[in-house]
Amino acid sequence: MAAELVVMGLGHVGLPLSRAAVSAGLATAGYDVSRPVVHGLTDGRSHVGGVDDADVAAMLRAGFHATDDPAVLDGAQTVVICVPTGLTDRGLPDLSAVEDAAAVVAAHLHPGMLVVLESTSYPGTTEDVVRPLLERGSGLRAGEDFHLAYSPQRIDPGNPTWDVRNTPKIVSGRTALCAKHAVAFYSRFVDQLVVARGTREAEMAKLLENTYRYVNIALVDEVALFCHETGIDIWDVLHCAASKPFGFAPFSPGPGVGGHCIPVDPRYLAARAESQGFAFRTLAAAQDVLSRMPDHVVERALTILTKTAGRPEGARALLLGVTYKPDVADIRETPARQVAAGLLAAGVEVSYHDPYVPEFTVGGTPLPRTENLRDALDRTDVAILLQDHACYARETLGQARCALLDTRGKAVGSRVTLL
């Protein structure tokens, strides 16, 4: 029996989407080119934060199955493409996974099928990249023989409040009828839908959401750099500014940005704009600031080690939290890797503590991991709080015997140095 829905790409976007669809009673299958992912899910193991093994087990009991066989697309009513969109070695948009997925769908496309792209990309991807691949590979016409839509993902790993169902979802279609079919599909498991004028508007809205955060984080980071140079307490500045009930949205400085979206999506926008002769000067300035933050953390740590240990060479540094956001097991694009590399290059012995990350490599070499936080703080020369995990209690950090470089404004104590 054919699945109603096939989700292509069972990662941080596709697996939560599959769970929401299964919970709503849709006969759902998942397709992924990674055999370890498929085998893990088949055995009831989750590889995605926010979806645990019990969730996968419940999905399997409800009829969900994962496969790497594209034949699963045969007869499906709806196919949602949730494959990753990253960057090439030159920092340009890499749509190879989207193109591969579209080619697979095209080979199984049938009249009346709804094909939705959820992968984040630049304006025009649905119309100029996905549509031609689907049409050439199937001989069918989008908007006439099958329905083509774009609906950007809004997954926030580790967020206990907002999930697939209660997060408003943007929906768009190549034609008004395509959009109507997309609305009918998503309304089965999403509470609120926002219909965009077209696919380009929906694609641009997604990039704007993350670029807004990118630019504002860069602004606060640069203010933090200025405050450091002039002896101003950046955390008190932020506390005071955030008291304004209008016209100000609080952002916090840190060691850099990470995750799949924030460091990547603005580059999609900048590359698309550049190809059309438009220069996003704000993005260029933000990238310059954000790229400097890990090195700034390294410089501050080396200064501390020179004061406390005499010199950085042979001194010991402990990284606290190497994920890109608090209380999730996600290290994609984490600034911790650049911080560690900078310290190692200066001859510092680097180890890390993170309850969510059993292994962490830098330049292909595993960093030593410690599990006992108090003992590790006693044995190191400087601890660097990179991520504000809940396990890092304010009192524990403030009472540490070692020096502490706090990039999150959490600790208070005589040995604490703020970013």
Side-chain angles (χ1 to χ4, degrees), residues 6-10 14 29-32 73 79-83 100-102 104-105:
V6 175
V7 177
M8 301 188 72
L10 297 174
Y31 171 83
D32 201 291
L73 279 76
V79 175
V80 181
I81 300 173
C82 300
V83 296
D100 291 345
V104 171
V105 175

Side-chain angles (χ1 to χ4, degrees), residues 69-108:
D69 184 357
V72 72
L73 279 76
D74 290 335
Q77 297 176 17
T78 302
V79 175
V80 181
I81 300 173
C82 300
V83 296
T85 47
L87 299 171
T88 67
D89 293 339
R90 298 171 56 198
L92 299 175
D94 181 4
L95 294 181
S96 57
V98 170
E99 293 168 345
D100 291 345
V104 171
V105 175
H108 300 269

Side-chain angles (χ1 to χ4, degrees), residues 113-156:
M113 179 184 279
L114 169 64
V115 181
V116 186
L117 177 65
E118 284 210 5
S119 306
T120 303
S121 187
Y122 55 75
T125 299
T126 305
E127 180 67 21
D128 302 333
V129 177
V130 174
R131 180 184 62 82
L133 289 170
L134 295 176
E135 292 183 343
R136 284 198 302 266
S138 68
L140 302 175
R141 299 284 295 176
E144 298 177 12
D145 304 311
F146 69 95
H147 311 293
L148 179 61
Y150 180 76
S151 181
Q153 60 89 2
R154 280 176 168 170
I155 300 294
D156 186 17

Side-chain angles (χ1 to χ4, degrees), residues 20 207 238 247 308 363 383 395:
L207 292 186
L238 294 171
T308 59
E395 295 76 14

Side-chain angles (χ1 to χ4, degrees), residues 300-301 303-305 307-308 320 377-385 394-407 410-419:
R300 298 294 305 280
T303 299
I304 293 172
L305 288 174
K307 293 180 179 179
T308 59
L320 302 180
L377 290 173
D378 288 341
R379 294 195 307 267
T380 195
D381 295 305
V382 64
I384 307 173
L385 180 63
R394 179 187 179 99
E395 295 76 14
T396 300
L397 297 179
Q399 296 171 5
R401 295 180 181 178
C402 65
L404 176 73
L405 174 58
D406 181 4
T407 72
K410 183 173 185 175
V412 175
S414 59
R415 297 182 179 87
V416 175
T417 300
L418 298 177
L419 179 68

